[in-house]
């Protein structure tokens, strides 16, 4: 008796034809992908395409190990906080604020690397997790922007630049593309209100502004040639990584030294940084500091920027930055304190019903009639939190957020008031 398969001599032919068609489809897709990759390499650069595909979304390893860097040397006169542990008090306060049973276990499970609480120049809690220790280099992500803001303030104090200078005074190349760049000031860049287009991702993977400002190997070139004005400056907040890149170019042109050298002499040395740090660079050939996220340091040294701001720019009797600049860069601006100003991107989370704001690359949180709390915040939960009213500094570094950023800062706000 003939089997059903044997009775269908055309079946093998059909399978062969479908196999051939599948091979054609796969081959066509492979060819399209090859053309797409080749086009990306030609339009941008092979190094950029490799970074985008190999690294994907940026993580702590990219900034610590992937990019080249320029060294910041430990201060010859390191400053040391007084060690007066009150860990049980701190644990109890955070366990209440976060509704957790074991604060140390919670920190470890949330991907925390370092957690430091300082009250009145006294370290009351300092712990490290997930393989980190006091000497571990930790990356800042957007905490770097608050360092940039401080460096800009120092440059203003020294007379190199002025906050209302048009950026084209220092970056005249922009005028060759659009005369309207003349209307953008240094203040607009600090406020993230330059009116510049910033679309994290676009239809073609390689032309999104987020990968370009993260992985492109010549950030000067991309910031000068890929920035586009879409609205008048000053009208609204839009988180935009071209802003710190442009500020970095202004700093190096106005001061005639690299951003790393300016950081070394104006912050690292006078603040008594205990350890070496580093600025990640866009590439070896370009050698431009990654202003948006590329500062690397130890957690205890991040705390020293917090101490400088908490003390209104004074460092044990030495004026590192003017008190006027600290106040201007961190205080609420009533003119921009409206929901519509923060309509774009994650702005509503900043505004938070009127309790929060953004000013000169610092986040602010109102605290009754007293001075506001201030924070430098970065991706994956990098935080320097400052409560001047309570003389408290909190530093958190991590491999991931663990919990929403707002929950971290709400807990910091509550605990700072309780210590």
């Amino acid at each position: 008796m003939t089997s059903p398969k044997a009775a269908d001599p055309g079946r093998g032919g059909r399978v062969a034809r479908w196999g051939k068609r599948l091979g054609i489809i796969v081959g066509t897709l492979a060819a399209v992908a090859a053309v797409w990759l080749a086009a990306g390499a030609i339009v941008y650069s092979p190094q950029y395409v490799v970074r985008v595909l190999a690294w994907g979304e940026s993580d702590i390893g990219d900034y610590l190990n992937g990019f080249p860097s320029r060294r910041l040397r430990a201060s010859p006169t390191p400053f040391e906080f007084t060690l007066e542990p009150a860990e049980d008090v701190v644990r109890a306060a955070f366990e209440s604020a976060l509704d957790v049973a074991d604060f140390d276990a919670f920190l470890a499970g949330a991907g925390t690397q370092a957690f430091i609480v300082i009250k009145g120049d006294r370290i009351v809690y300092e712990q490290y997790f997930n393989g980190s220790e006091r000497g571990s280099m930790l990356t800042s992500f957007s905490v770097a922007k608050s360092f940039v803001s401080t460096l800009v303030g120092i440059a203003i104090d020294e007379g190199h630049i002025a906050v209302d200078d048009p950026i084209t005074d220092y970056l005249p190349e922009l005028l060759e593309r659009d005369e309207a760049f003349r209307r953008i000031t240094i203040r607009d860049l600090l406020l993230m209100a330059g009116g510049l287009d910033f679309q994290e991702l676009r239809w073609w993977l390689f032309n999104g502004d987020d990968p370009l400002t993260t992985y492109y190997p010549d950030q000067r070139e991309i910031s000068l040639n890929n920035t586009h004005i879409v609205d008048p400056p000053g009208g609204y907040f839009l988180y935009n990584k071209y802003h710190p890149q442009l500020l970095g170019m202004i700093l190096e042109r106005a001061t005639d030294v690299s951003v790393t050298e300016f950081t070394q002499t104006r912050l690292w040395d006078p603040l008594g940084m205990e350890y070496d740090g580093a600025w990640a660079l866009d590439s070896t050939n370009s050698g431009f500091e990654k202003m948006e996220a590329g500062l690397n340091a130890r957690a205890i040294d991040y705390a020293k920027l917090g101490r400088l701001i908490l003390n209104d720019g004074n460092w044990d009797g030495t004026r590192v930055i003017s008190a006027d600049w600290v106040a201007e860069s961190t205080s609420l601006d009533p003119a921009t304190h409206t929901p519509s100003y923060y309509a774009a991107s994650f702005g509503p989370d900043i505004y938070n019903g009127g309790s929060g704001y953004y000013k000169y690359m610092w986040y602010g949180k109102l605290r009754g009639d007293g001075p506001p709390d201030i924070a430098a915040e970065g991706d994956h939960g990098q935080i320097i939190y400052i409560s001047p009213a309570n003389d408290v500094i909190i530093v958190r570094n991590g491999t991931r957020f663990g919990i929403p950023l707002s929950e971290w800062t709400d807990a910091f706000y509550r605990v700072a008031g309780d210590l």
Side-chain angles (χ1 to χ4, degrees):
M1 183 175 179
T2 305
S3 69
K5 286 186 178 181
D8 185 12
R11 183 176 185 278
R14 288 196 298 273
V15 170
R17 287 195 296 274
W18 275 110
K20 183 176 180 180
R21 290 171 184 169
L22 180 61
I24 292 172
I25 292 170
V26 171
T28 301
L29 291 175
V32 169
V35 170
W36 174 66
L37 292 174
I42 293 169
V43 173
Y44 297 106
S45 76
Q47 185 178 21
Y48 171 66
V49 169
V50 168
R51 284 176 172 178
V52 170
L53 295 178
W55 294 358
E57 184 178 354
S58 58
D59 57 34
I60 62 170
D62 298 339
Y63 286 92
L64 290 173
N65 306 309
F67 293 105
S69 64
R70 189 168 287 138
R71 177 188 174 195
L72 288 159
R73 302 174 301 280
S75 172
T77 55
F79 171 84
E80 295 184 9
F81 292 98
T82 302
L83 185 60
E84 292 187 13
E87 294 184 351
D88 288 345
V89 173
V90 173
R91 288 189 181 101
F94 272 105
E95 284 165 2
S96 175
L98 290 164
D99 192 22
V100 297
D102 184 329
F103 182 52
D104 287 8
F106 162 78
L107 289 177
T112 303
Q113 297 168 296
F115 201 94
I116 303 174
V117 181
I118 299 167
K119 169 81 172 180
D121 270 357
R122 296 171 290 111
I123 298 175
V124 294
Y125 181 96
E126 181 179 7
Q127 293 292 331
Y128 299 90
F129 306 92
N130 295 303
S132 293
E133 56 189 23
R134 183 181 251 234
S136 297
M137 184 84 91
L138 306 172
T139 197
S140 65
F141 283 97
S142 288
V143 166
K145 295 179 177 69
S146 300
F147 277 86
V148 173
S149 174
T150 306
L151 294 173
V152 169
I154 293 171
I156 290 171
D157 286 344
E158 294 180 1
H160 296 293
I161 57 178
V163 73
D164 287 316
D165 284 346
I167 64 173
T168 51
D169 287 358
Y170 309 94
L171 308 172
E173 303 97 312
L174 293 170
L175 294 173
E176 297 173 8
R177 293 197 297 109
D178 191 338
E179 279 285 331
F181 277 107
R182 196 185 304 276
R183 299 175 58 190
I184 302 174
T185 66
I186 290 173
R187 186 191 305 275
D188 294 323
L189 298 183
L190 288 166
L191 288 169
M192 294 277 187
L196 300 176
D197 189 27
F198 192 87
Q199 299 180 47
E200 290 192 9
L201 297 173
R202 292 187 174 89
W203 65 273
W204 189 34
L205 174 64
F206 302 118
N207 63 343
D209 290 311
D210 189 66
L212 283 169
T213 52
T214 302
Y215 294 138
Y216 194 73
D218 189 339
Q219 288 296 312
R220 294 185 189 90
E221 177 190 343
I222 207 69
S223 297
L224 288 172
N225 297 318
N226 202 56
T227 42
H228 303 282
I229 298 172
V230 292
D231 286 304
Y236 59 87
F237 168 95
L238 176 63
Y239 200 82
N240 185 323
K241 287 160 50 177
Y242 289 116
H243 290 145
Q245 309 290 52
L246 293 168
L247 286 170
M249 283 188 283
I250 290 170
L251 278 174
E252 65 179 5
R253 291 187 183 187
T255 63
D256 205 30
V257 296
S258 71
V259 170
T260 301
E261 184 60 27
F262 199 64
T263 305
Q264 180 76 56
T265 56
R266 272 53 169 200
L267 287 179
W268 230 253
D269 288 341
L271 270 55
M273 298 303 197
E274 185 177 349
Y275 295 96
D276 283 359
W279 268 110
L281 306 175
D282 53 1
S283 66
T284 302
N285 290 337
S286 173
F288 180 58
E289 287 82 357
K290 288 186 58 58
M291 308 301 297
E292 89 291 355
L295 184 69
N296 301 318
R298 275 68 177 186
I300 196 64
D301 287 333
Y302 286 129
K304 293 169 187 175
L305 179 66
R307 183 178 189 262
L308 178 69
I309 299 303
L310 187 146
N311 290 312
D312 297 324
N314 185 290
W315 194 266
D316 293 339
T318 299
R319 177 58 59 186
V320 175
I321 186 171
S322 68
D324 288 345
W325 178 260
V326 173
E328 179 179 350
S329 60
T330 61
S331 61
L332 174 69
D333 181 355
T336 63
H337 196 55
T338 63
S340 60
Y341 181 79
Y342 293 104
S345 188
F346 57 89
D349 293 333
I350 297 174
Y351 185 70
N352 195 21
S355 66
Y357 61 91
Y358 188 91
K359 184 79 176 293
Y360 291 10
M361 301 190 171
W362 290 96
Y363 295 85
K365 189 174 179 66
L366 299 177
R367 186 179 277 278
D369 295 330
D373 286 7
I374 306 151
E377 300 175 359
D379 200 6
H380 302 296
Q382 324 309 320
I383 308 167
I384 305 172
Y385 192 91
I386 309 152
S387 183
N390 299 289
D391 203 10
V392 168
I393 303 163
I394 303 173
V395 173
R396 191 265 181 183
N397 293 97
T399 59
R400 63 183 188 276
F401 283 108
I403 59 174
L405 179 59
S406 61
E407 292 186 19
W408 283 116
T409 54
D410 286 349
F412 292 175
Y413 181 91
R414 177 175 166 182
V415 170
D418 290 342
L419 291 180

